[in-house]
Amino acid sequence: GDSVTQMEGPVTLSEEAFLTINCTYTATGYPSLFWYVQYPGEGLQLLLKATKADDKGSNKGFEATYRKETTSFHLEKGSVQVSDSAVYFCALIKRSGGGADGLTFGKGTHLIIQP
Amino acid sequence: DAGVTQSPTHLIKTRGQQVTLRCSPKSGHDTVSWYQQALGQGPQFIFQYYEEEERQRGNFPDRFSGHQFPNYSSELNVNALLLGDSALYLCASSLQGTHGYTFGSGTRLTVV
């Protein structure tokens, strides 16, 4: 079945450091890929997405490029802030024949940014 | 514009009991999906409802059932609760055919 693998956390960085969170996936066909962020006590918020190979999703300084050849969707940010501390989830979705889809998530990466 | 609303926020139940969780979708959305998020894990897809029917189901037993009402709101029912059902239950709404999911803040269920 489909699966998403993320780097294990927690990831601890200093403010203004460069961030990379690795994500690879296994899926048949051509899934859409997502990064979600979860702040303490809250639900998930969509951070960015990409729907086809070589697409780059970006939002709030975060970027991720859909790499079909390496089945990857790594999340990057050039300069992190304390407010970026959260849990980040990589996810994929595929279209089914009936049009009803469920997201497949990775286990999440806890990011801690120290001032 | 209200997003996805879930109730209750927290719930404590005894093993063997039954529980009902509720979700009101974002205005304009017609599809509701439910996810289970165990502590320290990513959410797992339970099922999705559209036009008051279950359209797709993840790998969850029949103890998990749901319902969607004509106003698009939804309920998740879990029978014969097990300790392992303790988790955060997330509801996500969307417009059918799109992948623009809006998540609620979840219901934290504790089974003792």
Side-chain angles (χ1 to χ4, degrees):
Chain A
D2 301 340
S3 66
V4 174
T5 302
Q6 294 180 233
M7 60 191 294
E8 296 287 329
V11 173
T12 303
L13 296 172
S14 298
E15 206 166 20
E16 300 183 4
F18 184 86
L19 168 71
T20 299
I21 300 178
N22 291 336
C23 170
T24 58
Y25 67 90
T26 301
T28 56
Y30 302 96
S32 294
L33 302 175
F34 305 81
W35 276 100
Y36 282 86
V37 58
Q38 187 174 37
Y39 297 99
E42 298 184 13
L44 279 74
Q45 299 176 24
L46 177 64
L47 183 58
L48 54 83
K49 67 178 182 181
T51 59
K52 60 183 187 297
D54 300 325
D55 268 3
K56 176 184 283 187
S58 61
N59 186 28
K60 300 179 181 180
F62 290 90
E63 293 183 340
T65 301
Y66 189 144
R67 301 289 188 197
K68 189 172 186 300
E69 63 276 13
T70 55
T71 62
S72 64
F73 193 55
H74 304 322
L75 182 68
E76 296 182 337
K77 186 176 185 182
S79 177
V80 293
Q81 305 301 313
V82 172
S83 57
D84 293 327
S85 298
V87 181
Y88 292 80
F89 292 94
C90 185
L92 68 81
I93 202 165
K94 295 193 306 184
R95 289 182 183 82
S96 64
D101 306 304
L103 287 157
T104 298
F105 287 90
K107 291 186 176 181
T109 302
H110 186 194
L111 176 65
I112 301 169
I113 307 301
Q114 297 178 333
Chain B
D1 179 25
V4 176
T5 304
Q6 291 188 243
S7 63
T9 305
H10 295 85
L11 201 53
I12 300 175
K13 288 287 189 179
T14 302
R15 189 173 49 183
Q17 284 187 317
Q18 179 264 344
V19 68
T20 298
L21 311 181
R22 296 176 175 82
C23 172
S24 292
K26 180 179 177 179
S27 178
H29 286 181
D30 57 8
T31 301
V32 173
S33 303
W34 287 92
Y35 291 81
Q36 180 194 66
Q37 185 179 15
L39 196 62
Q41 301 294 316
Q44 289 198 308
F45 176 67
I46 303 174
F47 44 52
Q48 183 178 93
Y49 276 82
Y50 171 64
E51 291 185 329
E52 302 180 46
E53 292 185 8
E54 183 181 297
R55 297 291 179 161
Q56 190 179 16
R57 189 180 185 92
N59 189 25
F60 278 81
D62 292 345
R63 298 187 298 109
F64 290 77
S65 63
H67 189 78
Q68 186 180 33
F69 300 93
N71 66 354
Y72 308 120
S73 66
S74 177
E75 289 181 349
L76 164 66
N77 301 294
V78 186
N79 294 322
L81 284 167
L82 304 174
L83 296 179
D85 295 331
S86 296
L88 180 67
Y89 288 84
L90 295 168
C91 171
S93 72
S94 61
L95 188 61
Q96 182 61 212
T98 71
H99 293 157
Y101 295 92
T102 300
F103 281 82
S105 297
T107 294
R108 172 72 63 188
L109 172 66
T110 302
V111 182
V112 297

